[in-house]
Amino acid sequence: MALQATVSMSWVNTVLDAAAQQGAPRAQVLALAGIAPQELQSERWPIDHIARLWRAAVQATGDAGFGLKAGASVGPASFNVVSYLLQSAPTLRAALALVQQYQSLISDGGRFQTIAGEGACWVIYHPRQGSLAFSPHQIEAVLAAVVVFARWITGPGPALVPLAVQFNQLQIGPLAGYRAVFACPVQFEQAFSGLLWDNAVLDAPLPQADAQLAAAHHRLASARLDALAPPQALEKVLVQALQRWLQQQLHEGGAVPTRAQAAQMLGLGERTLARQLQAQATSFSQQLDAARRDAALQAVAQPERALADIGQALGYAEPAVFWRAFKRWTGCTPAQWRARQDVGS
């Protein structure tokens, strides 16, 4: 059985506080969501609870821009110890890497992926929903929160502005609301949801960087992350190790890695590997497909690489097969996806 995604109460309170600021009391929002008030005493909520809460908050406030406003309202309390880790990071790029590392302390209902380019870097958000579909307001809140926190940790001075933001969903609020939060070009119905950051901005030294304080926060965050892990988490670690190995093999080129090779690398029999992957509701073929997807996105973002060569390097015998796989992953062809990245060049 797969581990259920959960979310921290600090993020729950961010949603409830944002609704209350617009005249929708906590009790009203919880009642609309069908969630008992005593559940606020829990340490974490199932991901479906937060999906219900978002829908209830939007209904209670009647605000089509609620997600943007909730994300823009975040502060240090919204992300617990992760907030302090970000504050003491040496650069914004390092801070984003910390978000990826300690994402579960906020919510494991999604993951961030960075795709580096020559002049800029995409930070992409991949939601991991439960049995209920994510509200589009959740996606907007996450990207808005990233921008607000980036501005918070970079300190005083001109407001930090991404080069672009895009969503893989329809526009759901007034365009003025998006412009107020992001202050950059916004596109909708794209291949992914993410923010484009200038590399110079990502690598600029942060004013509050403190290596000694960062080390202390790392120890605290690591301890809290370990405390979250139930016994089944060993299987989750196996999946993560497999994914790292697959990415390394694909990066090095050569033959497509096989399940037998993976099992040998992990010190397991093939059947044992298959059973442990099944316990995480996945399989070797699914993990290989995910690794190929991430490698393809990284490679296609490099304009000097021929698209046909990328497909061949990833083990696709024919360009048409690679094209079909890429369209299944992103909704568009490699050429179309590359053309959409021109804004960052």
Side-chain angles (χ1 to χ4, degrees):
M1 182 177 178
L3 296 174
Q4 184 180 35
T6 60
V7 60
S8 70
M9 292 307 296
S10 58
W11 189 236
V12 170
N13 286 322
T14 296
V15 180
L16 288 170
D17 290 345
Q21 288 171 9
Q22 295 191 48
R26 288 184 167 221
Q28 178 190 1
V29 177
L30 290 170
L32 284 172
I35 299 172
Q38 56 265 34
E39 296 206 44
L40 290 175
Q41 306 305 314
S42 303
E43 292 187 9
R44 293 175 72 89
W45 271 9
I47 201 66
D48 283 347
H49 269 31
I50 196 73
R52 292 188 183 96
L53 191 72
W54 274 104
R55 285 174 168 76
V58 173
Q59 180 183 347
T61 61
D63 185 358
F66 178 75
L68 290 173
K69 293 173 184 174
S73 71
V74 299
S78 301
F79 297 151
N80 49 65
V81 68
V82 179
S83 299
Y84 304 107
L85 264 173
L86 302 183
Q87 189 176 10
S88 55
T91 64
L92 183 55
R93 190 186 300 276
L96 291 171
L98 290 171
V99 171
Q100 292 176 292
Q101 183 177 357
Y102 293 107
Q103 170 79 22
S104 291
L105 291 179
I106 307 166
S107 168
D108 47 20
R111 69 179 181 90
F112 287 97
Q113 177 190 8
T114 56
I115 298 181
E118 184 176 348
C121 178
W122 277 106
V123 177
I124 300 173
Y125 181 65
H126 300 283
R128 175 197 171 194
Q129 63 192 35
S131 58
L132 299 179
F134 264 38
S135 163
H137 292 271
Q138 291 175 263
I139 311 298
E140 294 191 348
V142 168
L143 295 192
V146 170
V147 171
V148 169
F149 247 85
R151 290 170 181 163
W152 178 64
I153 64 175
T154 51
L160 195 65
V161 177
L163 296 174
V165 60
Q166 65 181 45
F167 296 93
N168 66 354
Q169 59 200 33
L170 295 169
Q171 177 183 337
I172 57 175
L175 191 58
Y178 296 94
R179 289 172 175 162
V181 173
F182 299 110
C184 69
V186 184
Q187 290 187 304
F188 304 92
E189 298 182 80
Q190 300 300 303
F192 57 82
S193 297
L195 297 154
L196 184 66
W197 293 101
D198 189 299
N199 283 336
V201 169
L202 291 176
D203 296 322
L206 295 183
Q208 301 180 86
D210 187 323
Q212 189 172 6
L213 195 58
H217 289 147
H218 267 291
R219 289 193 294 270
L220 178 57
S222 296
R224 291 191 178 181
L225 201 60
D226 290 342
L228 285 179
Q232 303 97 308
L234 292 174
E235 293 164 348
K236 188 174 182 179
V237 170
L238 178 139
V239 173
Q240 294 169 347
L242 173 62
Q243 190 61 215
R244 286 194 297 269
W245 178 78
L246 287 170
Q247 290 168 355
Q248 179 184 0
Q249 296 301 304
L250 292 172
H251 177 73
E252 293 175 355
V256 178
T258 66
R259 191 176 73 173
Q261 292 170 333
Q264 183 179 19
M265 182 275 300
L266 293 165
L268 301 171
E270 282 193 64
R271 291 184 179 180
T272 301
L273 174 60
R275 283 195 302 271
Q276 294 195 15
L277 291 176
Q278 186 177 24
Q280 287 292 300
T282 187
S283 66
F284 177 79
S285 60
Q286 288 174 315
Q287 289 300 308
L288 177 59
D289 187 66
R292 278 173 149 177
R293 176 199 63 206
D294 288 354
L297 291 176
Q298 292 273 7
V300 173
Q302 302 171 30
E304 70 279 4
R305 293 195 62 178
L307 296 177
D309 291 345
I310 293 171
Q312 187 175 22
L314 293 175
Y316 294 96
E318 299 291 336
V321 180
F322 174 53
W323 261 238
R324 286 195 296 271
F326 199 93
K327 194 165 186 178
R328 172 169 55 82
W329 295 326
T330 67
C332 60
T333 67
Q336 291 169 335
W337 196 91
R338 176 174 281 177
R340 292 175 181 175
Q341 315 315 305
D342 287 345
V343 66
S345 60

